[in-house]
Amino acid sequence: RSDLVLNGSALLTVTSTDNGISSKDDLKVTGGSYEITAASKCLEANDSIRIADGSFVLKAGTDGLHAENDEDDTLGYIYIGGGDFEITAGDDGIHGETIVQINDGTITVSASEGIEGTYIQINGGTIYIESTDDGINGARKSSAYARPCIEINGGDITVVMASGDT
């Protein structure tokens, strides 16, 4: 029920019938390798998920990364500042209730929706999304922002999708 920090260079393998790794406040990852298979969410936090580096193979029944605070809709932030991600999810690959900020990294997502948040900012990295619904979805999830926004300032982004919104 507090912050959780994961760092180091070891491999952590998690198989869960619920969430893989969960923090009730902030989840911070500064390195390491993670192979997580979860019936629900692979990485989940109420306030924020902040990743600076690491290697992630995430297989989620619902969301690969999910940050949402049921009591305060101005929280629920995801920051990715590097790392390699291979995400397979039944719902959202990456879901941040308020902000999803990607500054670097290699991200491959296969999900119903690739990236979802109220304010999505991509400043770099290589992103490949295969989705059956929305590729990158800016939707009003938080009262912290008057309207949804998708801001792309760089990076190499490919979205392959079925029906739904691009």
Side-chain angles (χ1 to χ4, degrees), residues 32-157:
S33 296
Y34 304 87
E35 294 178 1
I36 303 171
T37 302
S40 190
K41 301 164 184 79
C42 286
L43 297 174
E44 184 266 337
N46 282 355
D47 296 349
S48 73
I49 298 173
R50 301 170 194 207
I51 298 173
D53 197 11
S55 174
F56 302 84
V57 177
L58 307 177
K59 297 176 183 172
T62 58
D63 297 347
L65 285 82
H66 185 98
E68 176 181 7
N69 189 312
D70 291 335
E71 297 172 6
D72 184 350
D73 78 348
T74 64
L75 298 171
Y77 170 85
I78 295 177
Y79 169 81
I80 296 173
D84 295 311
F85 297 81
E86 182 182 317
I87 303 169
T88 304
D91 192 13
D92 298 336
I94 300 171
H95 178 108
E97 200 71 3
T98 56
I99 299 170
V100 174
Q101 181 179 355
I102 299 170
N103 286 346
D104 197 9
T106 301
I107 301 168
T108 302
V109 177
S110 178
S112 179
E113 294 196 5
I115 301 171
E116 182 174 13
T118 301
Y119 179 55
I120 300 169
Q121 184 182 62
I122 299 171
N123 297 314
T126 302
I127 301 170
Y128 179 85
I129 298 170
E130 272 189 27
S131 65
T132 57
D133 189 9
D134 300 332
I136 300 174
N137 182 7
R140 188 159 200 268
K141 303 280 182 182
S142 168
S143 63
Y145 298 93
R147 55 187 132 175
C149 178
I150 299 172
E151 178 181 343
I152 299 173
N153 299 309
D156 183 5
I157 304 167

